[in-house]
PDB file of all heavy atoms in Angstrom:
ATOM      1  N   ASP Q 464      -0.397 -10.969  31.520  1.00 96.00           N
ATOM      2  CA  ASP Q 464       0.217 -11.267  32.811  1.00 96.00           C
ATOM      3  C   ASP Q 464      -0.750 -10.902  33.928  1.00 96.00           C
ATOM      4  O   ASP Q 464      -1.237  -9.766  33.992  1.00 96.00           O
ATOM      5  CB  ASP Q 464       1.523 -10.476  32.954  1.00 96.00           C
ATOM      6  CG  ASP Q 464       2.301 -10.866  34.189  1.00 96.00           C
ATOM      7  OD1 ASP Q 464       1.907 -10.431  35.288  1.00 96.00           O
ATOM      8  OD2 ASP Q 464       3.302 -11.591  34.064  1.00 96.00           O
ATOM      9  N   ARG Q 545       8.135  -4.934  39.963  1.00 96.00           N
ATOM     10  CA  ARG Q 545       8.082  -6.009  38.965  1.00 96.00           C
ATOM     11  C   ARG Q 545       8.774  -5.575  37.664  1.00 96.00           C
ATOM     12  O   ARG Q 545       9.536  -6.351  37.057  1.00 96.00           O
ATOM     13  CB  ARG Q 545       6.619  -6.374  38.696  1.00 96.00           C
ATOM     14  CG  ARG Q 545       6.419  -7.300  37.513  1.00 96.00           C
ATOM     15  CD  ARG Q 545       6.981  -8.698  37.749  1.00 96.00           C
ATOM     16  NE  ARG Q 545       6.894  -9.495  36.527  1.00 96.00           N
ATOM     17  CZ  ARG Q 545       5.782 -10.049  36.080  1.00 96.00           C
ATOM     18  NH1 ARG Q 545       4.642  -9.926  36.763  1.00 96.00           N
ATOM     19  NH2 ARG Q 545       5.799 -10.750  34.969  1.00 96.00           N
ATOM     20  N   GLU Q 549      12.002  -7.149  35.679  1.00 95.00           N
ATOM     21  CA  GLU Q 549      12.013  -7.548  34.269  1.00 95.00           C
ATOM     22  C   GLU Q 549      13.113  -6.845  33.497  1.00 95.00           C
ATOM     23  O   GLU Q 549      13.710  -7.421  32.586  1.00 95.00           O
ATOM     24  CB  GLU Q 549      10.651  -7.244  33.637  1.00 95.00           C
ATOM     25  CG  GLU Q 549       9.483  -7.990  34.256  1.00 95.00           C
ATOM     26  CD  GLU Q 549       9.650  -9.500  34.180  1.00 95.00           C
ATOM     27  OE1 GLU Q 549      10.221  -9.997  33.198  1.00 95.00           O
ATOM     28  OE2 GLU Q 549       9.208 -10.193  35.121  1.00 95.00           O
ATOM     29  N   ARG Q 552      16.304  -8.685  34.331  1.00 91.00           N
ATOM     30  CA  ARG Q 552      16.311 -10.114  34.052  1.00 91.00           C
ATOM     31  C   ARG Q 552      17.170 -10.402  32.818  1.00 91.00           C
ATOM     32  O   ARG Q 552      17.294  -9.553  31.922  1.00 91.00           O
ATOM     33  CB  ARG Q 552      14.879 -10.593  33.813  1.00 91.00           C
ATOM     34  CG  ARG Q 552      14.727 -12.107  33.765  1.00 91.00           C
ATOM     35  CD  ARG Q 552      13.306 -12.470  33.374  1.00 91.00           C
ATOM     36  NE  ARG Q 552      12.317 -12.010  34.326  1.00 91.00           N
ATOM     37  CZ  ARG Q 552      11.989 -12.638  35.440  1.00 91.00           C
ATOM     38  NH1 ARG Q 552      12.594 -13.770  35.759  1.00 91.00           N
ATOM     39  NH2 ARG Q 552      11.055 -12.148  36.242  1.00 91.00           N
ATOM     40  N   HIS Q 553      17.754 -11.590  32.745  1.00 89.00           N
ATOM     41  CA  HIS Q 553      18.557 -11.950  31.570  1.00 89.00           C
ATOM     42  C   HIS Q 553      17.666 -11.937  30.328  1.00 89.00           C
ATOM     43  O   HIS Q 553      16.556 -12.500  30.341  1.00 89.00           O
ATOM     44  CB  HIS Q 553      19.185 -13.332  31.746  1.00 89.00           C
ATOM     45  CG  HIS Q 553      20.262 -13.628  30.762  1.00 89.00           C
ATOM     46  ND1 HIS Q 553      19.999 -13.907  29.427  1.00 89.00           N
ATOM     47  CD2 HIS Q 553      21.620 -13.670  30.894  1.00 89.00           C
ATOM     48  CE1 HIS Q 553      21.126 -14.122  28.785  1.00 89.00           C
ATOM     49  NE2 HIS Q 553      22.132 -13.980  29.653  1.00 89.00           N
ATOM     50  N   PRO Q 554      18.118 -11.297  29.245  1.00 89.00           N
ATOM     51  CA  PRO Q 554      17.280 -11.178  28.037  1.00 89.00           C
ATOM     52  C   PRO Q 554      16.808 -12.519  27.488  1.00 89.00           C
ATOM     53  O   PRO Q 554      15.737 -12.603  26.887  1.00 89.00           O
ATOM     54  CB  PRO Q 554      18.189 -10.462  27.043  1.00 89.00           C
ATOM     55  CG  PRO Q 554      19.189  -9.739  27.878  1.00 89.00           C
ATOM     56  CD  PRO Q 554      19.401 -10.590  29.086  1.00 89.00           C
ATOM     57  N   GLN Q 555      17.611 -13.576  27.673  1.00 87.00           N
ATOM     58  CA  GLN Q 555      17.260 -14.886  27.119  1.00 87.00           C
ATOM     59  C   GLN Q 555      16.542 -15.793  28.111  1.00 87.00           C
ATOM     60  O   GLN Q 555      16.225 -16.938  27.771  1.00 87.00           O
ATOM     61  CB  GLN Q 555      18.546 -15.582  26.637  1.00 87.00           C
ATOM     62  CG  GLN Q 555      19.357 -14.773  25.641  1.00 87.00           C
ATOM     63  CD  GLN Q 555      18.536 -14.388  24.413  1.00 87.00           C
ATOM     64  OE1 GLN Q 555      17.742 -15.175  23.928  1.00 87.00           O
ATOM     65  NE2 GLN Q 555      18.740 -13.167  23.925  1.00 87.00           N
ATOM     66  N   GLU Q 556      16.298 -15.305  29.315  1.00 90.00           N
ATOM     67  CA  GLU Q 556      15.630 -16.145  30.305  1.00 90.00           C
ATOM     68  C   GLU Q 556      14.192 -16.444  29.875  1.00 90.00           C
ATOM     69  O   GLU Q 556      13.460 -15.548  29.441  1.00 90.00           O
ATOM     70  CB  GLU Q 556      15.630 -15.460  31.672  1.00 90.00           C
ATOM     71  CG  GLU Q 556      15.020 -16.301  32.778  1.00 90.00           C
ATOM     72  CD  GLU Q 556      15.087 -15.600  34.126  1.00 90.00           C
ATOM     73  OE1 GLU Q 556      15.887 -14.643  34.261  1.00 90.00           O
ATOM     74  OE2 GLU Q 556      14.338 -16.009  35.042  1.00 90.00           O
ATOM     75  N   GLN Q 557      13.794 -17.686  29.997  1.00 89.00           N
ATOM     76  CA  GLN Q 557      12.456 -18.098  29.596  1.00 89.00           C
ATOM     77  C   GLN Q 557      11.455 -17.782  30.714  1.00 89.00           C
ATOM     78  O   GLN Q 557      11.600 -18.242  31.839  1.00 89.00           O
ATOM     79  CB  GLN Q 557      12.438 -19.601  29.286  1.00 89.00           C
ATOM     80  CG  GLN Q 557      13.315 -20.005  28.113  1.00 89.00           C
ATOM     81  CD  GLN Q 557      12.866 -19.367  26.804  1.00 89.00           C
ATOM     82  OE1 GLN Q 557      11.670 -19.339  26.496  1.00 89.00           O
ATOM     83  NE2 GLN Q 557      13.814 -18.832  26.045  1.00 89.00           N
ATOM     84  N   VAL Q 558      10.459 -16.967  30.382  1.00 90.00           N
ATOM     85  CA  VAL Q 558       9.405 -16.635  31.338  1.00 90.00           C
ATOM     86  C   VAL Q 558       8.055 -16.838  30.655  1.00 90.00           C
ATOM     87  O   VAL Q 558       7.972 -16.912  29.428  1.00 90.00           O
ATOM     88  CB  VAL Q 558       9.531 -15.174  31.834  1.00 90.00           C
ATOM     89  CG1 VAL Q 558      10.776 -14.990  32.659  1.00 90.00           C
ATOM     90  CG2 VAL Q 558       9.524 -14.197  30.667  1.00 90.00           C
ATOM     91  N   ALA Q 559       7.014 -16.910  31.461  1.00 88.00           N
ATOM     92  CA  ALA Q 559       5.688 -17.194  30.913  1.00 88.00           C
ATOM     93  C   ALA Q 559       5.208 -16.110  29.960  1.00 88.00           C
ATOM     94  O   ALA Q 559       4.668 -16.385  28.891  1.00 88.00           O
ATOM     95  CB  ALA Q 559       4.692 -17.374  32.061  1.00 88.00           C
ATOM     96  N   HIS Q 560       5.407 -14.852  30.363  1.00 89.00           N
ATOM     97  CA  HIS Q 560       4.944 -13.734  29.532  1.00 89.00           C
ATOM     98  C   HIS Q 560       6.068 -12.703  29.400  1.00 89.00           C
ATOM     99  O   HIS Q 560       6.105 -11.715  30.145  1.00 89.00           O
ATOM    100  CB  HIS Q 560       3.703 -13.086  30.151  1.00 89.00           C
ATOM    101  CG  HIS Q 560       2.563 -14.029  30.347  1.00 89.00           C
ATOM    102  ND1 HIS Q 560       1.836 -14.547  29.299  1.00 89.00           N
ATOM    103  CD2 HIS Q 560       2.033 -14.572  31.474  1.00 89.00           C
ATOM    104  CE1 HIS Q 560       0.902 -15.353  29.771  1.00 89.00           C
ATOM    105  NE2 HIS Q 560       1.004 -15.381  31.085  1.00 89.00           N
ATOM    106  N   PRO Q 561       6.990 -12.905  28.481  1.00 90.00           N
ATOM    107  CA  PRO Q 561       8.109 -11.967  28.336  1.00 90.00           C
ATOM    108  C   PRO Q 561       7.639 -10.588  27.896  1.00 90.00           C
ATOM    109  O   PRO Q 561       6.718 -10.454  27.092  1.00 90.00           O
ATOM    110  CB  PRO Q 561       8.972 -12.635  27.258  1.00 90.00           C
ATOM    111  CG  PRO Q 561       8.034 -13.502  26.489  1.00 90.00           C
ATOM    112  CD  PRO Q 561       7.030 -13.988  27.490  1.00 90.00           C
ATOM    113  N   LEU Q 562       8.269  -9.571  28.466  1.00 92.00           N
ATOM    114  CA  LEU Q 562       7.969  -8.193  28.087  1.00 92.00           C
ATOM    115  C   LEU Q 562       8.887  -7.747  26.960  1.00 92.00           C
ATOM    116  O   LEU Q 562      10.042  -8.162  26.901  1.00 92.00           O
ATOM    117  CB  LEU Q 562       8.134  -7.250  29.283  1.00 92.00           C
ATOM    118  CG  LEU Q 562       6.913  -7.031  30.179  1.00 92.00           C
ATOM    119  CD1 LEU Q 562       6.479  -8.328  30.835  1.00 92.00           C
ATOM    120  CD2 LEU Q 562       7.187  -5.954  31.214  1.00 92.00           C
ATOM    121  N   GLN Q 565      12.747  -6.997  27.503  1.00 92.00           N
ATOM    122  CA  GLN Q 565      13.188  -7.666  28.736  1.00 92.00           C
ATOM    123  C   GLN Q 565      14.710  -7.684  28.818  1.00 92.00           C
ATOM    124  O   GLN Q 565      15.398  -7.954  27.853  1.00 92.00           O
ATOM    125  CB  GLN Q 565      12.661  -9.103  28.747  1.00 92.00           C
ATOM    126  CG  GLN Q 565      13.190  -9.961  29.888  1.00 92.00           C
ATOM    127  CD  GLN Q 565      12.729 -11.405  29.787  1.00 92.00           C
ATOM    128  OE1 GLN Q 565      11.537 -11.662  29.657  1.00 92.00           O
ATOM    129  NE2 GLN Q 565      13.660 -12.348  29.841  1.00 92.00           N
TER     130      GLN Q 565
END
Side-chain angles (χ1 to χ4, degrees):
D464 187 283
R545 170 68 186 283
E549 298 301 326
R552 191 186 298 277
H553 194 287
Q555 304 303 321
E556 183 178 342
Q557 297 297 315
V558 293
H560 302 290
L562 271 62
Q565 173 185 308

